Amino acid sequence: MKQLFVLDPIELINPVKDSSAALIEACYRASIESWVCTPSDLQAKGAKAGVVAKTIIPEPWLTLGEPRNLSLNEFHCIWMRKDPPVDEAFLYATHLLEVAERNGVLVLNKPSSLRAWNEKLGALRFSNLMAPTLVASRVNELKEFAHEQGEVVLKPLGGKGGQGVIRIGDAAAGLDALLELVTSQEQMPVMMQKFLPKVIEGDKRILLVNGDPLGAINRKPKEGDFRSNLALGGQAEATTLSIREQEICEELGASLKSEGLFFVGIDVIGGMLSEINVTSPTGIREVERLACVPLADQVIERLLRDFP
């Protein structure tokens, strides 16, 4: 059996923290042959998709084989794990992966769903689970919403890892200028949400596999910041799911599964859904370390069970 991982350059990945590395290592332990490539290595000749890929032996990290030109039909499963931004190159890669998908290859997550589920906007499908939220480009509408909520956070729709997220009060000096800046003079929509003070207690990352929660961590912001993202200095701690969080997972699970979103990370703050991460969710290493469970192995076991 072969699996292909479409990633950023593998040499740049830190295996101690990276979820893709954890999955590749789990494949190795399951005697699954793993290959790696970048989106630019994908190609199509007529109705047949191919790739220039390298074998990877991850233990010890890492040994790569020589590049080989292969048909994507040779792989049982292809993991699309390229980090954002979801730019033109990313989108074209999903179209090339769909060529393989039409020929019967399993692609995770499903290429059409990667395009449809923006990691901020996708959560709006479940707006009843979210804090009050507005997505808009017009400064007046954003200002009015900020005045209604009192204190808000601004999120760029294409951001990742908490980058560019701003907390601001409705009476802050220069609010108009800030909104003009983040909307590129009212040409680009931005997400504005009511600020949830409970974020200081943590932002829970819950990992769902084929619709079911398999692990979670609580991420607490570093001192002086409200953003809990690990890439920005947030600290991970062990956690369990509350009844409310279990209800959120249950409400999302069927939709995620039906849309081919096999491996997803959702963010929950104070019992409210914040984001649905579908491109390259992280957190496996932290769950394994803090909960002492072989989560990556469980993910691969679930893959082999659900897609034999």
Side-chain angles (χ1 to χ4, degrees):
M1 179 182 292
K2 294 182 181 179
Q3 293 194 18
L4 174 68
F5 289 81
V6 184
L7 308 162
D8 290 297
I10 192 72
E11 297 85 356
L12 303 180
I13 285 176
N14 181 352
V16 175
K17 297 182 178 181
D18 193 85
S19 291
S20 296
L23 292 170
I24 292 170
E25 290 175 351
C27 285
Y28 181 77
R29 290 190 290 271
S31 299
I32 297 171
E33 185 178 315
S34 295
W35 294 67
V36 294
C37 73
T38 66
S40 61
D41 294 317
L42 298 170
Q43 55 194 358
K45 187 174 183 180
K48 295 184 179 180
V51 65
V52 178
K54 300 177 181 178
T55 56
I56 177 170
I57 298 175
E59 296 183 9
W61 190 265
L62 55 81
T63 303
L64 294 174
E66 293 298 316
R68 287 185 57 191
N69 201 321
L70 303 171
S71 166
L72 290 185
N73 285 27
E74 295 185 34
F75 297 98
H76 170 259
C77 173
I78 300 173
W79 292 84
M80 177 50 164
R81 294 275 305 171
K82 169 72 175 67
D83 284 342
V86 179
D87 53 14
E88 282 188 278
F90 185 103
L91 294 174
Y92 291 145
T94 66
H95 286 290
L96 289 169
L97 289 171
E98 276 184 319
V99 177
E101 190 178 49
R102 288 193 291 271
N103 288 324
V105 180
L106 176 66
V107 182
L108 303 173
N109 286 325
K110 189 175 179 65
S112 60
S113 294
L114 288 176
R115 295 193 297 271
W117 288 67
N118 174 276
E119 299 193 336
K120 306 294 189 299
L121 297 177
L124 295 177
R125 301 166 190 246
F126 307 94
S127 59
N128 59 305
L129 304 176
M130 301 173 68
T133 300
L134 173 69
V135 178
S137 304
R138 301 299 182 188
V139 168
N140 285 341
E141 279 76 10
L142 291 164
K143 279 178 58 181
E144 182 178 347
F145 183 81
H147 291 319
E148 291 172 359
Q149 304 305 326
E151 191 170 15
V152 296
V153 291
L154 288 164
K155 298 180 178 180
L157 298 183
K160 66 168 184 174
Q163 296 173 356
V165 178
I166 300 167
R167 172 183 172 185
I168 192 167
D170 68 302
L175 178 59
D176 284 46
L178 175 62
L179 294 175
E180 290 167 2
L181 176 65
V182 298
T183 61
S184 298
Q185 301 298 321
E186 300 189 323
Q187 298 302 304
M188 185 69 69
V190 66
M191 177 174 278
M192 181 180 280
Q193 288 182 311
K194 179 180 177 64
F195 174 69
L196 299 175
K198 285 198 172 182
V199 72
I200 304 303
E201 300 173 11
D203 174 354
K204 197 165 290 188
R205 164 59 59 88
I206 306 171
L207 296 174
L208 292 94
V209 178
N210 218 17
D212 297 325
L214 286 195
I217 54 170
N218 191 47
R219 304 172 297 179
K220 299 191 75 170
K222 68 180 181 181
E223 187 175 352
D225 202 344
F226 72 97
R227 298 171 299 175
S228 57
N229 306 78
L230 301 182
L232 297 175
Q235 295 298 311
E237 60 183 22
T239 190
T240 57
L241 298 186
S242 68
I243 293 175
R244 169 64 172 169
E245 290 158 352
Q246 292 172 5
E247 291 172 347
I248 290 174
C249 292
E250 185 174 347
E251 186 159 346
L252 269 61
S255 293
L256 297 176
K257 185 174 181 178
S258 68
E259 296 271 348
L261 294 168
F262 177 79
F263 187 67
V264 172
I266 67 170
D267 297 336
V268 179
I269 301 171
M272 291 190 172
L273 178 66
S274 174
E275 294 183 13
I276 301 176
N277 299 276
V278 302
T279 52
S280 56
T282 61
I284 289 180
R285 292 298 200 196
E286 289 76 18
V287 171
E288 291 183 332
R289 175 171 56 85
L290 294 168
C292 298
V293 296
L295 182 58
D297 297 278
Q298 292 174 1
V299 173
I300 299 303
E301 288 170 6
R302 184 65 180 269
L303 170 65
L304 298 178
R305 188 196 81 183
D306 292 354
F307 301 96

